[in-house]
Amino acid sequence: MSHENPIPMTPVWEHEDTSRIPFWAYTDEDIHKQELEKLFYKKHWCYVGLEAEIPQPGDFKRTVIGERSVIMVRHEDNSIYVVENVCAHRGMRFCREKHGHVKSFTCPYHQWNYDLEGKLQGVPFRRGVKQDGKAKGGMPKDFKTSDHGLTKLLVATRGGVVFASFDHDVESFEDFLGPTMLSYFDRMFNGRKLTLLGYNKQRIPGNWKLMQENIKDPYHPGLLHTWFVTFGLWRADNRSELKMDEHFRHAAMISTRGSGGKDTQTTNVSSFKESMQLNDPSFLDVEVEPWWDGPTAVMMTLFPSVILQQQVNSVSTRHIQPNGHGSFDFVWTHFGYEDDTPDMTERRLRQANLFGPAGFVSADDGEVIEFSQQGFEQKPFHRSLAELGGKEIEETDHMVSETLIRGMYAYWRKVMGV
């Protein structure tokens, strides 16, 4: 009898289209490693933050792209750099603070020092030490500091939002989004200066793609979320549209708030709670803003790394940060605009309670993603179903469709080669 381990099989996407999604797409660690390389580190722009988070020269923010630690920093000339948080000497992640202000970066291990662009400018004992009148040790004569700077990423800023890429040959940020998604991006980030309101952060024990799916899935909000269906913020019968870029990787779910209350659309919806009342009605104190231009909610997914949220007056970015195939950190950055009145700022903060780890709405999403991952791990040979609205991939003028999920996986399959 042979005691050799079986040869691992390459996963195969058995169904002809993307209306069936194999569970191994969420559970296979090798697939996850390929995703990092092909989706986060090559040919894609990834979100790193808002300019408002680093308002002064020397201000920095530590964050991640995929599973690589990076630093966003404002230079003395007011430009923004993004560098990898890995010392060029012995590879240490030298920056430990999440936010701060510096004149330069110093690795604590051997005190190598870098300017704000990531250029190496200081090496202790580079020329050795003097003993008995002679220089001993030190770097070789051909050592050049210019050869040993931090890895610099390509940076794109638009409307106060910062994106970066390890791939210096990536297409322009505008081409990456495409005209349809760019128009919705510019709707939210329209040139007004942004102001930082605060953060939420949670670790969700599920595959990172599940959060992209969640915000490409208009099927669930009016069924899962009691708050949405009861108070009319997001229901299947709201006037709505589903939009995509030409590659189907990015998407926007666009909705206009209905009246709420009981009707034929809520009769068999268990999450609808007719008797639910708010102790503080100000949570539903919504003020229409001119820049909305109609829709009361636009949820954008920019693949692979970020969700841009406008739910009535609450606006935020939601950063997806993978941790292996079965976990990701989810960082919410709530913001406003410099010309907001104090009342509007208070309104944005109040409505932000719908979102985040314990949000009236978003707490539901974290749970269903966790429980979905448990099902995938239990039955990795199985598949999920995404047939609502048919098997095609197309934009719609309604919410009763899983077309955006099918579109994302058509793109995913093309890039991943499965």
Side-chain angles (χ1 to χ4, degrees):
M1 180 184 292
S2 172
H3 294 283
E4 295 181 1
N5 292 326
I7 298 173
M9 298 179 63
T10 302
V12 175
W13 191 291
E14 296 180 349
H15 203 67
E16 61 183 9
D17 57 37
T18 53
S19 65
R20 305 285 196 284
I21 304 158
F23 285 180
W24 55 253
Y26 311 100
T27 63
D28 189 287
E29 189 64 26
D30 289 336
I31 288 290
H32 176 69
K33 291 177 181 178
Q34 291 180 46
E35 287 177 334
L36 293 173
E37 290 296 326
K38 295 179 179 181
L39 302 176
F40 287 89
Y41 307 149
K42 295 177 182 176
K43 298 185 179 180
H44 292 74
W45 287 99
C46 289
Y47 172 83
V48 288
L50 304 178
E51 289 193 50
E53 296 178 86
I54 50 169
Q56 301 299 322
D59 289 350
F60 72 87
K61 169 192 172 182
R62 175 173 58 83
T63 183
V64 298
I65 289 179
E67 295 182 2
R68 294 180 180 175
S69 179
V70 299
I71 305 165
M72 175 178 71
V73 60
R74 189 176 292 274
H75 193 265
E76 290 95 337
D77 64 7
N78 223 35
S79 58
I80 291 175
Y81 287 86
V82 178
V83 296
E84 190 169 15
N85 184 21
V86 175
C87 181
H89 179 215
R90 300 292 291 279
M92 178 178 171
R93 284 187 178 181
F94 57 89
C95 181
R96 312 309 298 173
E97 298 84 4
K98 291 182 179 180
H99 300 270
H101 180 88
V102 293
K103 293 183 178 179
S104 61
F105 293 108
T106 300
C107 178
Y109 199 174
H110 298 94
Q111 303 292 300
W112 279 35
N113 179 263
Y114 305 89
D115 68 13
L116 298 181
E117 294 182 43
K119 295 178 181 177
L120 179 62
Q121 61 183 6
V123 177
F125 307 122
R126 178 181 174 184
R127 294 178 175 81
V129 294
K130 283 190 177 182
Q131 290 182 347
D132 302 325
K134 295 181 179 180
K136 297 184 179 181
M139 288 295 186
K141 290 183 179 181
D142 62 355
F143 177 84
K144 297 179 181 178
T145 55
S146 59
D147 294 338
H148 301 282
L150 302 175
T151 296
K152 296 181 185 179
L153 282 70
L154 195 63
V155 175
T157 60
R158 188 178 179 95
V161 190
V162 184
F163 291 80
S165 180
F166 282 95
D167 186 350
H168 285 246
D169 295 321
V170 68
E171 63 188 320
S172 71
F173 177 70
E174 288 73 17
D175 288 344
F176 177 68
L177 259 62
T180 300
M181 291 301 106
L182 193 63
S183 68
Y184 284 103
F185 182 93
D186 288 344
R187 171 182 174 273
M188 181 181 292
F189 304 106
N190 57 11
R192 289 189 293 165
K193 191 172 181 180
L194 307 180
T195 56
L196 180 65
L197 299 184
Y199 300 98
N200 295 116
K201 182 177 180 179
Q202 64 188 119
R203 175 161 290 186
I204 298 176
N207 185 271
W208 68 271
K209 295 188 296 300
L210 292 172
M211 186 52 76
Q212 280 277 342
E213 285 184 34
N214 183 267
I215 311 298
K216 294 178 187 284
D217 171 19
Y219 189 17
H220 84 273
L223 299 170
L224 172 67
H225 299 308
T226 292
W227 182 281
F228 275 170
V229 68
T230 301
F231 299 116
L233 293 180
W234 192 287
R235 292 182 7 170
D237 57 337
N238 287 359
R239 190 168 69 252
S240 53
E241 294 179 282
L242 303 180
K243 298 283 190 180
M244 289 174 278
D245 73 310
E246 62 177 341
H247 302 288
F248 311 136
R249 54 190 171 188
H250 314 309
M253 300 196 303
I254 304 138
S255 177
T256 301
R257 180 188 179 188
S259 58
K262 185 175 182 178
D263 59 21
T264 58
Q265 300 296 324
T266 62
T267 301
N268 296 312
V269 176
S270 62
S271 57
F272 176 75
K273 309 296 182 186
E274 185 177 6
S275 62
M276 177 179 280
Q277 301 291 325
L278 294 176
N279 289 326
D280 182 357
S282 67
F283 280 111
L284 289 175
D285 172 26
V286 174
E287 180 176 315
V288 175
E289 300 181 63
W291 63 269
W292 293 359
D293 195 25
T296 54
V298 175
M299 300 295 293
M300 290 183 65
T301 45
L302 300 188
F303 194 80
S305 65
V306 71
I307 294 151
L308 306 177
Q309 168 208 307
Q310 180 247 323
Q311 273 284 359
V312 286
N313 300 118
S314 175
V315 284
S316 70
T317 64
R318 308 180 184 183
H319 189 188
I320 300 169
Q321 305 177 354
N323 300 291
H325 78 266
S327 174
F328 64 95
D329 287 339
F330 200 38
V331 181
W332 313 64
T333 303
H334 302 277
F335 64 90
Y337 302 94
E338 192 175 55
D339 58 359
D340 283 346
T341 65
D343 284 347
M344 178 57 77
T345 297
E346 185 66 26
R347 184 177 290 107
R348 296 197 198 283
L349 288 169
R350 198 162 49 235
Q351 292 178 20
N353 283 286
L354 276 68
F355 310 106
F360 301 151
V361 174
S362 298
D364 305 336
D365 294 320
E367 282 196 308
V368 297
I369 287 175
E370 177 180 358
F371 299 154
S372 295
Q373 187 70 27
Q374 291 173 359
F376 302 153
E377 300 287 354
Q378 175 178 324
K379 201 174 184 180
F381 53 85
H382 201 52
R383 86 295 176 274
S384 66
L385 182 70
E387 280 192 0
L388 191 70
K391 298 181 181 180
E392 296 76 22
I393 301 168
E394 58 187 3
E395 295 182 339
T396 73
D397 60 358
H398 62 86
M399 287 287 181
V400 192
S401 176
E402 293 168 319
T403 183
L404 303 184
I405 296 174
R406 293 191 292 271
M408 184 184 85
Y409 280 103
Y411 176 75
W412 184 88
R413 288 187 66 188
K414 181 179 178 180
V415 176
M416 294 292 290
V418 299

